[in-house]
């Protein structure tokens, strides 16, 4: 018989462990299954928008929330990857890469997102050798080098500013006319442009990544810049968005929007009874760490109320 | 001409200042008008459910968020009470008790709730002299005394446990059969019952509060307990819930539910364009500090997006 829980949480980021902390307070027997402890936020070194904490970094914040949750006796966590999810009776059954099986009376998808790829020639070949998806993780290797950032979002701008700590020059390559970070980050980019550390190449797409045996040397653009379509770069950071990790959820009938984000209501309920979602994988309009944490808290409480309701129903 | 802002926030609690912090990051010119800095949370000394902070108290948490928000140059706060709100053109106009007037292109109600009163004889007379609504605020005065707590909710249970720090005996008086705190707090109450510090009087209502010139001496119940309907008490803490501060909102056409809580969607929008609500005054199912903060963050972003949309519209 697989181990049985009141609540299974897939995902060990801010949303998953915030849910776990509340579920712990509600004395639910529960397990967090995490492929990566901490989730996406650990790729961020500068967090200045978590109410109550003026300045921290992603790893510290995630670690704090995780430790907070694990203080409750009924909360456990496992480092493993869920590879299969199915309905089982009134609950759910999960199988992991590590060959374990678990049953949950309720299930929370706090599965987050993955980096979106460029899908151009050379991207896979030089992945990890010039091509990267996280400046904080890999930027330190580009001290006094020239790098590119693909994307025009707030995340892309933050990555570019971060990279100026190491790189002597950062090109932001964006397919549209104007990058569109949060105003505070736009100001930071502008300051770096004035310092000649950042240059924006707008209306341009990367169509290929070229290089030698070991590492990339050029990004090929679809328009000329300074007289050439080939931009000499030591590294290229791809920041063009995310893909929701919602395949497992879809498999048990959970509805998503057209982009694959799980549709939830204000109580973090999905269309499937006993199944919840929180954080980056959900269809929330404005996705922040704090909003994901709040969705996790709602999910824990909804699961608790759902189970309470079950108990008073006649058999 | 009244001073004009991108965003006016009524209410200086966790939700209001979380919104202000994000609005500051978004470089919106804004003003928080707060009758009480900190809001309801400052009446709580034990906060163990704010993700990222294992243990704090309400005053510290509220202060941190307020200071965080005020670090942004475009955020201001004013200690005053809004007494009038009206629509003015495409925005809103507010008047304060202090005689000031402000105009806002958008408006956030983070107005919270007030304590619900028993509405029995003697309540008003002994208010502040035996009758209280906040154990943390007033409980220290009852060292080695006997007090009552009216209510069966999680808040009531927490207040009762807190009061055992000072009082030699705490009676929980509840109108129904079973009190219903969060499981962790139920365990705490049970421990205190075993220690003879707490006693639960169930199926009982307080119908009158009696006493002398200066302070209360008895609560009158609607049933006998230990042979009498008159329970000798030095103090009585009323914890029977809250009333939403939504009158100003209703006045400008904002819809509320049947209990008066402002109806919002996942983006913290109300039915009135440019008007938002967040925190305890909203119709959220599971109200926590963290969920209110998240609603504040959504409200700030929604207001920002709304104003951005306005700017590109033809005149």
């Amino acid at each position: 018989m697989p181990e049985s829980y009141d609540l299974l949480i897939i995902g060990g980021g801010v949303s998953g462990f915030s849910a776990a902390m509340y579920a712990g307070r509600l004395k639910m027997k529960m397990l967090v299954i995490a492929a990566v402890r901490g989730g996406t936020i650990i790729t961020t070194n500068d967090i200045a928008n978590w109410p109550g904490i003026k300045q921290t970094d992603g790893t510290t914040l995630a670690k704090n929330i995780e430790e907070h949750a694990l203080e409750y006796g009924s909360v456990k966590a496992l480092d493993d990857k869920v590879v299969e999810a199915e309905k089982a009776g009134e609950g759910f059954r999960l199988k992991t890469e590590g060959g374990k099986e678990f049953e949950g009376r309720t299930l929370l998808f706090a599965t987050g997102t993955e980096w979106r790829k460029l899908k151009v020639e050379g991207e896979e070949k030089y992945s990890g050798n010039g091509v990267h998806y996280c400046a904080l993780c890999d930027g330190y290797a580009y001290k006094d080098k020239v790098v590119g950032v693909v994307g025009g979002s707030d995340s892309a701008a933050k990555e570019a500013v971060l990279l100026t700590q190491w790189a002597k020059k950062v090109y932001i390559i964006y397919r549209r006319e104007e990058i569109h970070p949060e105003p505070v980050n736009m100001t930071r980019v502008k300051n770096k442009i004035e310092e000649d550390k950042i240059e924006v190449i707008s209306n341009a797409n990367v169509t290929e990544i070229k290089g030698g045996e070991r590492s990339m040397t050029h990004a090929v653009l679809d328009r000329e810049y300074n007289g050439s379509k080939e931009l000499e770069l030591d590294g290229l950071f791809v920041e063009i968005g995310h893909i929701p990790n919602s395949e497992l959820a879809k498999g048990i009938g959970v509805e998503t929007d057209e982009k694959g984000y799980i549709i939830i209501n204000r109580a973090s309920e999905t269309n499937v009874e006993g199944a919840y979602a929180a954080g980056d994988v959900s269809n929330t309009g404005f996705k922040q760490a704090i909003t994901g944490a709040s969705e996790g808290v709602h999910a824990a409480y909804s699961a608790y109320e759902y189970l309470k309701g079950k108990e008073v129903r006649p058999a």
Side-chain angles (χ1 to χ4, degrees), chain A residues 7-80:
Chain A
L7 171 63
L8 292 172
I9 298 177
I10 313 179
V14 162
S15 307
F17 275 112
S18 291
M21 186 265 281
Y22 259 78
R25 292 178 66 78
L26 296 165
K27 299 209 165 181
M28 297 168 82
K29 185 188 173 194
M30 55 143 307
L31 178 69
V32 177
I33 307 172
V36 185
R37 295 270 181 122
T40 301
I41 207 164
I42 62 173
T43 62
T44 306
N45 69 331
D46 172 26
I47 295 181
N49 59 6
W50 185 267
I53 304 175
K54 274 183 213 172
Q55 189 74 36
T56 186
D57 61 86
T59 305
T60 304
L61 180 63
K63 195 80 203 152
N64 281 350
I65 296 174
E66 180 187 326
E67 285 175 5
H68 192 164
L70 293 173
E71 279 190 352
Y72 294 92
S74 65
V75 176
K76 290 204 296 179
L78 173 75
D79 291 300
D80 204 343

Side-chain angles (χ1 to χ4, degrees), chain A residues 221-269:
Chain A
L221 306 179
D222 61 353
R223 77 165 178 92
E224 286 197 355
Y225 185 72
N226 288 341
S228 169
K229 283 190 173 181
E230 298 207 353
L231 186 67
E232 218 176 304
L233 292 176
D234 299 301
L236 185 68
F237 289 80
V238 179
E239 298 296 336
I240 55 171
H242 299 86
I243 300 166
N245 291 321
S246 56
E247 290 307 316
L248 289 170
K250 282 182 196 164
I252 59 163
V254 169
E255 280 175 14
T256 66
D257 66 14
E258 70 286 354
K259 287 179 176 170
Y261 291 95
I262 297 175
I263 297 169
I264 59 171
N265 62 16
R266 289 184 65 204
S268 298
E269 294 165 331

Side-chain angles (χ1 to χ4, degrees), chain A residues 142 145-149 163 167 169-172 233-237:
Chain A
Y142 293 88
K145 307 276 186 182
V146 178
V147 300
V149 171
L163 283 164
K169 183 83 173 197
V170 179
Y171 291 97
I172 297 177
L233 292 176
D234 299 301
L236 185 68
F237 289 80

Side-chain angles (χ1 to χ4, degrees), chain A residues 170-172 174 177 179 189 193 198-202 223 225:
Chain A
V170 179
Y171 291 97
I172 297 177
Y174 185 47
E177 183 66 30
I179 62 168
V189 169
I193 290 172
I198 289 184
E199 211 166 311
V200 180
I201 305 176
S202 51
R223 77 165 178 92
Y225 185 72

Side-chain angles (χ1 to χ4, degrees), chain A residues 125-139:
Chain A
K125 180 176 179 188
Y126 296 113
S127 180
N129 291 303
V131 177
H132 305 278
Y133 302 88
C134 166
L136 184 68
C137 316
D138 303 313

